[in-house]
Amino acid sequence: MSLTAHIDIHPPVAEALAGGRAVVALESTIITHGMPWPQNDEMAAEVEAIIAEGGAVPATIAVIDGRLKIGLSEGERQALAQRKDAMKLSRADLAFAVAEGRSGGTTVAATMMAAHLAGIAVFATGGIGGVHKGAETNFDISADLDELARTPVIVVSAGAKAILDVPKTLEVLETRGVPVVGFGTDVMPAFWSRGSSLPAPLRLDTPEAIARFQKTRAALQIGGGMLVANPVPQEDEIAAPEMEGFIARAQADAVAEGVTGKAVTPFLLARILEITDGRSLKTNTALVKNNARLAARIARALSAQDG
Ligand code: PSU
Ligand code: MN
């Protein structure tokens, strides 16, 4: 059975791909499980507009009624943002949703898989999943890390979410051979905060250099993706020491309420939103927009270097 049996590529995305023009993939778990309605759809619309202004075509990826969608119409995106039955889809269950005619938001892992299937090389998100605090007992390590190791897509993030054990996340990425590139910074950004106590493993200062690095990896037949860590703009950040207190409270609540598995990340994000009285959501939106801007520049650099 061919790919088209399960996949719908939105016409503007298909045209751009056929013409070798810049395309940026976007995930949808951030829409279905990461932010409340209506801010989730407002964020998604703004991010798509930023990518278009940046000279690339946005392709929001999701599963809708069993179809793997590469790019959504406005109506599809708005409907998904309000669905209560949306699954959170990663490598393990992406095909389950397709086979069973279900709908869901794609995580970083599933979005990378779908982007690569469609021939999209760059993807913008907020923060990747990683090694959770307490991983030594709960074994909670996001499938995003294995996907970065195997699927050749550049993921533009604001670092690893500070709800994670960031040092352990960086250790796993190094073990799996995933380059982590600080964009214009020597310090690993921590999602809501520009800085952390950790150095960024690598540093590059231009989109062209990032494109050249990924092309060189491909030429040397080094498979797999790359994580670009782009610090949140200064005016939007919540400084790390302040953020730590909020995260610790949310984490304690998750333990007290017995939240486990796939529910952990959405629970923590929602709880931190409550604790910060919406401030974390403003920062989250700002950093995704900032990442979209950079991803469009990287996608354009990649298609220019193709020529
Ligand atoms: N970034 C955000 N909000 C989110 C996520 C990332 O700003 O909701 C989602 C991504 O889809 C990521 C997922 O892949 O959280 C990680 O979930 P888990 O830790 O269960 O693997
Ligand atoms: Mn997990």
Side-chain angles (χ1 to χ4, degrees):
M1 212 188 290
S2 73
L3 279 180
T4 47
H6 299 298
I7 300 185
D8 293 332
I9 303 190
H10 194 47
V13 176
E15 279 165 36
L17 288 171
R21 291 194 303 280
V23 177
V24 174
L26 295 161
E27 63 147 311
S28 49
T29 292
I30 189 169
I31 301 175
T32 56
H33 292 75
M35 292 183 181
W37 167 268
Q39 287 95 338
N40 59 350
D41 190 57
E42 286 163 17
M43 176 279 307
E46 284 171 1
V47 164
E48 289 190 1
I50 284 170
I51 289 168
E53 280 161 28
V57 174
T60 301
I61 290 173
V63 176
I64 297 181
D65 299 328
R67 305 290 301 172
L68 178 53
K69 300 276 182 185
I70 313 291
L72 301 178
S73 70
E74 198 180 342
E76 287 169 332
R77 199 196 60 228
Q78 286 172 350
L80 181 72
Q82 297 175 73
R83 272 185 99 127
K84 298 273 186 287
D85 62 347
M87 297 175 72
K88 175 180 162 187
L89 301 171
S90 191
R91 172 172 277 268
D93 39 23
L94 177 65
F96 175 91
V98 172
E100 293 295 312
R102 302 277 291 271
S103 299
T106 48
T107 59
V108 168
T111 306
M112 289 180 78
M113 294 169 65
H116 182 54
L117 268 178
I120 303 171
V122 185
F123 157 30
T125 181
I128 60 157
V131 181
H132 276 266
K133 291 182 175 150
E136 57 276 22
T137 50
N138 63 28
F139 274 53
D140 189 350
I141 301 177
S142 177
D144 293 352
L145 300 182
D146 273 1
E147 208 58 49
L148 277 159
R150 71 199 293 176
T151 303
V153 171
I154 299 173
V155 178
V156 183
S157 71
K161 274 186 237 104
I163 55 176
L164 301 168
D165 186 321
V166 181
K168 287 194 182 69
T169 300
L170 287 176
E171 289 294 348
V172 170
L173 287 167
E174 185 189 47
T175 302
R176 304 274 212 273
V178 179
V180 178
V181 178
F183 180 69
T185 179
D186 294 316
V187 176
M188 188 65 194
F191 198 70
W192 295 281
S193 321
R194 286 177 64 78
S196 69
S197 52
L198 300 161
L202 298 169
R203 172 184 178 149
L204 290 170
D205 291 332
T206 65
E208 290 73 23
I210 292 169
R212 194 164 57 236
F213 180 26
Q214 183 67 343
K215 286 205 184 276
T216 304
R217 295 179 73 232
L220 295 175
Q221 297 183 21
I222 300 168
M226 176 186 301
L227 182 65
V228 175
N230 185 29
V232 61
Q234 190 129 37
E235 60 272 25
D236 300 307
E237 82 158 339
I238 304 176
E242 194 182 0
M243 205 56 224
E244 268 161 34
F246 303 144
I247 293 168
R249 274 175 65 190
Q251 222 108 37
D253 291 347
V255 171
E257 293 186 30
V259 181
T260 56
K262 291 168 92 79
V264 171
T265 297
F267 176 90
L268 292 175
L269 291 173
R271 193 71 193 97
I272 290 168
L273 189 157
E274 286 169 8
I275 293 170
T276 63
D277 199 18
R279 213 173 129 211
S280 67
L281 181 58
K282 280 174 74 178
T283 299
N284 197 345
T285 302
L287 66 86
V288 179
K289 288 159 75 172
N290 190 47
N291 295 340
R293 226 166 272 127
L294 175 59
R297 293 172 66 200
I298 296 170
R300 284 180 48 206
L302 276 172
S303 56
Q305 289 175 21
D306 274 340

